[in-house]
Amino acid sequence: MKSCFIASLTPFHSVILKNRARFPSNLYYGSSRTSCCPYHQNSKLHSTSPMAADRYPPPWFSVAPMMEWTDNHYRTLARLISKKAWLYTEMLAAETIVYQTGNLDRFLAYGPEQHPIVLQIGGNKLENLAKATQLATPYGYDEINLNCGCPSPKVAGHGCFGVRLMLDPKLVAEAMSVIAANTNVPVSVKCRIGVDDHDSYNELCDFIYEVSSQSPTRHFIIHSRKALLNGISPKDNRRIPPLKYEYYYALLRDFPGLQFTINGGITSIEEVNAARSEGAHGVMLGRAAYGNPWQILGLVDSAVYGAPLRSITRRQVLEQYQVYGDSVLGMYGPRPTVREVVKPLLGLFHAEPRNVAWKRKVDAAFRHCTTIKSLFEETLGEIPDSVLDAPITEVPSGSTDKFIKAKSLLPSPYTIKEEELLYA
């Protein structure tokens, strides 16, 4: 990315340009409809159409893709609580899909109730991205997302993809064109606002402009922190770089033809609604939605989408989840285990009485319980009936001004060199 702009500047306006002629024709395989075996009796391949996403509510709220967290088990729990939130898979490396063609269901299959659902893939090799997308298409995901935001040393370091791709917007544009050519659903990019010293607003706009003008990408999920590739942990990369929501809101101003979802540092439904009231197209939460699913996901449908408040209780959610959990235990040899299936439930009683005692009992039960039913029977007595049987309650009234402040700090409008328009 360029660090600055010099000479011959033109204010940015919406431009849609595509140039696929430079790509090898074999990267455009076309949408595949090859048949695969269902991964179990309640989960099958889901046929979809280019307009499939129109059947679902808009992505005003989504749960971020998180490695080892947003797996099938978590997404099943999430959908039991919220019917409208958009769900993302964990990031799947394109190479994993390409080299596991005999075992695709393990990585790509999911229950039909999980719609709307987005598959996130990672990689930097165009041929593998094309083939992975073709292999994933019969599974009927509602959108394909490319990871351009993961700062993990394994991904952005040795892997040379994730957030490192932001340093090569031309490659990202090519990757998105290849992905789009091999699917019949929308494509999107999840990225940071910058990388190391490449963190100016103009550099972020360079990235957005080149990817959107050179590919069919119209949706960007913006993690409102830059990434540091100096060896710090992913956890520190979520904490040390400051949040700059003003960059996000400036993108709304400067790219009115695109869709942007804001991500990073948002931890409550009040903040979700505050971001949207200031113009955010969509809001994505990660760890807050995982660590406290009842108080976050339980309020999404009513507080964000305006649906009637559901009367479901945690006891009812657990009864349904138990049926799912026991049906998938050991589906792939020794996995998933009881521990793996129960893991997403450990935040269900966040901040409730006896929560800590319950989790201690669950940990002990992992050593001998062989079914989800037996684990529940042994441990749920720790949770008061008043908690298990309490319905979801309305979101407390409140407001936050962090997004109002951000809009008062907007950087200068983006400008683009005329020669970039000519050679785009």
Side-chain angles (χ1 to χ4, degrees):
M1 289 188 293
K2 307 162 189 66
S3 61
C4 63
F5 286 86
I6 57 173
S8 192
L9 295 172
T10 299
F12 175 81
H13 54 84
S14 180
V15 178
I16 299 177
L17 298 168
K18 299 179 184 178
N19 184 0
R20 293 184 175 177
R22 61 177 174 239
F23 305 135
S25 60
N26 65 346
L27 295 183
Y28 296 92
Y29 298 102
S31 297
S32 168
R33 286 294 171 195
T34 55
S35 61
C36 300
C37 297
Y39 84 114
H40 66 85
Q41 60 184 3
N42 294 320
S43 182
K44 57 186 179 180
L45 299 181
H46 318 291
S47 62
T48 186
S49 69
M51 302 305 291
D54 291 346
R55 300 198 305 266
Y56 305 113
W60 293 341
F61 180 96
S62 54
V63 179
M66 293 177 284
M67 293 292 292
E68 300 183 354
W69 288 25
T70 51
D71 56 14
N72 246 318
H73 314 314
Y74 172 77
R75 298 193 310 266
T76 298
L77 173 66
R79 187 57 74 218
L80 288 173
I81 301 172
S82 169
K83 301 302 181 185
K84 298 185 181 297
W86 280 65
L87 305 177
Y88 280 64
T89 68
E90 306 171 86
M91 183 192 73
L92 272 176
E95 285 72 18
T96 298
I97 299 173
V98 170
Y99 299 127
Q100 292 284 342
T101 53
N103 197 23
L104 287 178
D105 285 352
R106 179 174 180 179
F107 298 96
L108 293 172
Y110 59 93
E113 73 284 346
Q114 290 186 28
H115 290 285
I117 181 171
V118 179
L119 170 66
Q120 187 184 72
I121 59 178
N124 62 3
K125 294 180 172 59
L126 299 184
E127 185 174 358
N128 284 341
L129 289 168
K131 186 62 175 177
T133 304
Q134 186 192 38
L135 291 168
T137 291
Y139 288 87
Y141 287 93
D142 300 302
E143 184 171 303
I144 307 294
N145 178 267
L146 179 65
N147 185 317
C148 295
C150 179
S152 165
K154 291 183 180 179
V155 172
H158 301 301
C160 291
F161 59 100
V163 76
R164 191 172 290 277
L165 289 176
M166 289 193 71
L167 299 174
D168 192 350
K170 179 182 177 182
L171 174 60
V172 175
E174 293 174 346
M176 297 309 295
S177 293
V178 164
I179 291 169
N182 287 280
T183 186
N184 52 6
V185 297
V187 296
S188 61
V189 166
K190 187 175 189 293
C191 63
R192 294 271 183 143
I193 60 170
V195 184
D196 291 332
D197 294 332
H198 299 276
D199 59 356
S200 71
Y201 177 66
N202 268 359
E203 287 176 295
L204 172 61
C205 290
D206 285 349
F207 175 83
I208 299 295
Y209 172 74
E210 183 152 2
V211 174
S212 62
S213 65
Q214 295 298 312
S215 80
T217 310
R218 295 292 170 267
H219 181 201
F220 293 82
I221 298 95
I222 307 295
H223 186 143
S224 300
R225 290 185 176 92
K226 73 174 182 178
L228 298 173
L229 298 182
N230 58 0
I232 69 172
S233 68
K235 180 178 180 180
D236 284 340
N237 255 305
R238 296 190 301 269
R239 179 181 60 85
I240 295 175
L243 287 161
K244 292 189 175 182
Y245 295 128
E246 59 268 28
Y247 279 21
Y248 170 83
Y249 282 102
L251 290 174
L252 302 185
R253 175 197 65 197
D254 293 336
F255 296 85
L258 302 179
Q259 179 184 358
F260 294 97
T261 293
I262 190 171
N263 173 231
I266 301 171
T267 60
S268 69
I269 293 298
E270 298 96 314
E271 291 182 344
V272 170
N273 285 335
R276 292 193 63 243
S277 69
E278 294 302 317
H281 299 154
V283 184
M284 175 179 279
L285 270 67
R287 280 153 182 78
Y290 191 96
N292 189 8
W294 189 250
Q295 292 300 326
I296 299 294
L297 297 175
L299 295 168
V300 166
D301 295 6
S302 58
V304 178
Y305 287 93
L309 195 65
R310 298 179 67 202
S311 59
I312 193 169
T313 67
R314 278 176 275 208
R315 189 189 300 276
Q316 292 168 328
V317 166
L318 290 170
E319 288 171 351
Q320 295 175 68
Y321 190 82
Q322 179 214 307
V323 174
Y324 158 78
D326 281 329
S327 75
V328 300
L329 284 176
M331 181 175 296
Y332 301 106
R335 302 183 67 182
T337 64
V338 170
R339 183 183 294 271
E340 289 168 335
V341 174
V342 171
K343 178 183 173 183
L345 300 175
L346 297 180
L348 191 61
F349 301 110
H350 176 80
E352 296 287 4
R354 307 295 298 166
N355 174 50
V356 174
W358 175 70
K359 288 198 284 189
R360 281 200 298 264
K361 201 161 189 176
V362 167
D363 189 60
F366 284 146
R367 299 171 191 146
H368 56 270
C369 285
T370 58
T371 65
I372 308 302
K373 181 180 179 180
S374 63
L375 184 140
F376 284 176
E377 289 174 345
E378 183 170 321
T379 65
L380 284 177
E382 287 289 340
I383 302 295
D385 289 343
S386 59
V387 173
L388 283 167
D389 297 321
I392 298 168
T393 56
E394 288 281 3
V395 59
S397 60
S399 63
T400 175
D401 61 358
K402 66 166 68 175
F403 305 108
I404 297 174
K405 290 179 180 177
K407 291 186 73 175
S408 70
L409 300 172
L410 298 188
S412 299
Y414 176 53
T415 53
I416 182 168
K417 286 191 280 189
E418 289 178 359
E419 54 263 38
E420 290 192 349
L421 288 172
L422 292 174
Y423 293 107

